Amino acid sequence: MDIHEYQGKEILASYGVKVQRGHVANNAQEAVAAAKQLTAETGTGWHVIKAQVHAGGRGKGGGVKLAKNLQQVEEIAEQIIGMQLITPQTPPEGKKVNKVLIAEDVYYPGESETKEFYMSVLLNRGKGRNMIMYSTEGGMDIEEVAEKTPHLIFTEEVDPAVGLQAFQARRIAFNLGTSGQAFKEMVSFVTALYAAYVGSDATMFEINPVLKTSDNKIIAVDAKVNLDDNALYRHPIYAEMRDVREENPIEVEAKAAGLNYVDLDGTVGCMVNGAGLAMATMDLIKYAGFEPANFLDVGGTADAKRVETAFRIILKDPNVKAILINIFGGIVRCDRVAQGVVDAYKNMGDSIKVPIIVRLQGTNAELAKELIDNSGMPILSATLFQEAADQVKTALAN
């Protein structure tokens, strides 16, 4: 589950990570009030207005601007709130900005120059260990750094048996070139950041930039956070941070119906039971020369109501030109699934305007094929993987 920057900073601050302070606002009037409150709390004279959407690169799209007085705070907030923000990480049409974060100016003059770093914590799936990825080149796309100057990206792997060790935090601070008070602050920052990552059951914390201020403080200026959905039962407060306005509406509807659905860019809709079979089905579609339009796992049950719900969700995607149903009848019998498909097709009437290919294998597979073939419905049936692929080719060729 993605959360907003201000929410990520709340989590970080709760674990002792120093962050760029700020208050969230839903309109220009609230933005001015937030700016006044922030000045009273921090003494900041300038304010940074930051669009709150689930996407990076906001500055490039005009979603992050500096205000030097309260009039500019109001004007900029009016410009940003309600805009369709387009960044390299948003859909082509962009994302609507519903709120902004009014943040303090942390690039104030002082005894030394400011310096930006990059830091993230995530799982190295290949080694089964968490790792801290960091670079001296903060404030820019890490992908660009990896492409042009890969030697400037460092990683520190953490042994799950012992956790992050003090010497590792010191090594990170040393590799980033900090010294004196900034070195001590960086060690504390890294230690607290890793504790926040583990304690919140996150799948990723990305801080870009981590800032060394002119008075040698180390703070998180940004916070891109992804939380593990499967662990939200342990964190009811975090679960309340979900903003469905930022999510794909079809995926939101599918989740409410108990379906595992991920929207993709292809033309062949998938309805499958089991994640492994779903992945194999997507491979099958690509092997046939097409692209899957979605990942949809209906789970262990596939009765008429559930199949109909899945049909309606898949068909909300206008790019879908055919639907491939691939069910293995182990716990659920194939003939029951076939009857569910036929009943769902009848209930939906003329709303299904694309070819339906059904491949059922397992208990009562032959009986299921007979049910579909004798239903009088324009449903194509198959029992073998290759046969299903051929049916997809034939359906989309017409």
Side-chain angles (χ1 to χ4, degrees), residues 36-56:
K36 291 179 179 178
Q37 181 182 352
L38 194 60
T39 297
E41 294 170 348
T42 67
T44 185
W46 293 356
H47 301 85
V48 185
I49 319 300
K50 310 175 82 172
Q52 297 300 284
V53 295
H54 292 173

Side-chain angles (χ1 to χ4, degrees), residues 91-376:
E93 68 275 11
K95 283 191 172 185
K96 183 179 179 180
V97 180
N98 296 297
K99 59 183 71 177
V100 292
L101 176 64
I102 311 301
E104 64 177 325
D105 172 32
V106 290
Y107 289 83
Y108 46 80
E111 61 191 63
S112 64
E113 292 185 6
T114 58
K115 175 63 179 175
E116 293 181 331
F117 308 106
Y118 170 90
M119 191 172 297
S120 62
V121 189
L122 63 162
L123 174 65
N124 183 333
R125 296 183 181 276
K127 295 188 177 180
R129 294 185 172 194
N130 292 328
M131 70 175 182
I132 300 175
M133 182 183 299
Y134 59 103
S135 174
T136 55
E137 306 305 297
M140 59 187 297
D141 294 335
I142 194 63
E143 294 84 2
E144 185 177 339
V145 178
E147 180 180 353
K148 296 181 179 179
T149 54
H151 62 284
L152 296 179
I153 296 180
F154 303 89
T155 58
E156 190 71 41
E157 293 183 355
V158 181
D159 188 331
V162 296
L164 181 70
Q165 298 297 289
F167 78 88
Q168 293 179 295
R170 291 195 296 270
R171 180 158 57 197
I172 292 172
F174 177 80
N175 286 341
L176 289 174
T178 58
S179 60
Q181 182 62 29
F183 181 91
K184 295 177 182 178
E185 289 258 343
M186 182 61 78
V187 171
S188 298
F189 182 93
V190 171
T191 303
L193 174 62
Y194 188 78
Y197 170 81
V198 174
S200 63
D201 286 307
T203 58
M204 183 190 71
F205 264 104
E206 183 179 62
I207 316 298
N208 189 23
V210 175
L211 179 69
K212 182 196 80 66
T213 65
S214 59
D215 52 357
N216 294 311
K217 295 176 182 177
I218 303 296
I219 63 173
V221 175
D222 193 14
K224 186 175 182 181
V225 177
N226 186 280
L227 301 174
D228 187 348
D229 295 35
N230 296 313
L232 287 178
Y233 72 94
R234 291 202 289 248
H235 308 281
I237 295 178
Y238 298 165
E240 294 175 1
M241 293 180 174
R242 185 183 181 199
D243 188 348
V244 296
R245 294 174 298 182
E246 293 291 317
E247 300 178 22
N248 184 306
I250 304 178
E251 293 182 5
V252 173
E253 182 182 347
K255 189 170 186 178
L259 300 172
N260 296 313
Y261 177 93
V262 178
D263 193 32
L264 300 173
D265 297 328
T267 58
V268 181
C270 304
M271 188 190 306
V272 191
N273 67 332
L277 184 58
M279 298 299 289
T281 302
M282 294 165 69
D283 287 342
L284 175 71
I285 291 170
K286 293 181 72 71
Y287 178 75
F290 303 98
E291 293 292 330
N294 64 269
F295 169 102
L296 193 154
D297 177 5
V298 296
T301 58
D303 54 26
K305 183 178 180 180
R306 196 169 181 83
V307 171
E308 183 175 341
T309 300
F311 270 143
R312 294 189 186 279
I313 287 173
I314 292 173
L315 291 172
K316 285 180 180 291
D317 183 352
N319 295 321
V320 170
K321 306 302 180 186
I323 297 176
L324 173 58
I325 301 174
N326 192 5
I327 301 291
F328 176 75
I331 298 175
V332 58
R333 299 200 320 255
C334 291
D335 56 315
R336 286 192 176 183
V337 177
Q339 192 62 55
V341 171
V342 171
D343 292 344
Y345 201 107
K346 290 179 180 178
N347 291 339
M348 294 184 69
D350 296 333
S351 59
I352 299 179
K353 301 182 184 299
V354 299
I356 306 293
I357 301 97
V358 181
R359 184 253 181 181
L360 298 170
Q361 191 57 266
T363 307
N364 290 350
E366 294 301 324
L367 178 58
K369 190 174 188 309
E370 290 179 14
L371 275 171
I372 291 175
D373 291 342
N374 297 327
S375 66

Side-chain angles (χ1 to χ4, degrees), residues 12-29:
L12 288 171
S14 70
Y15 282 87
V17 179
K18 291 183 179 179
V19 301
Q20 178 192 37
R21 293 165 292 183
H23 299 290
V24 72
N26 297 290
N27 54 57
Q29 291 69 38

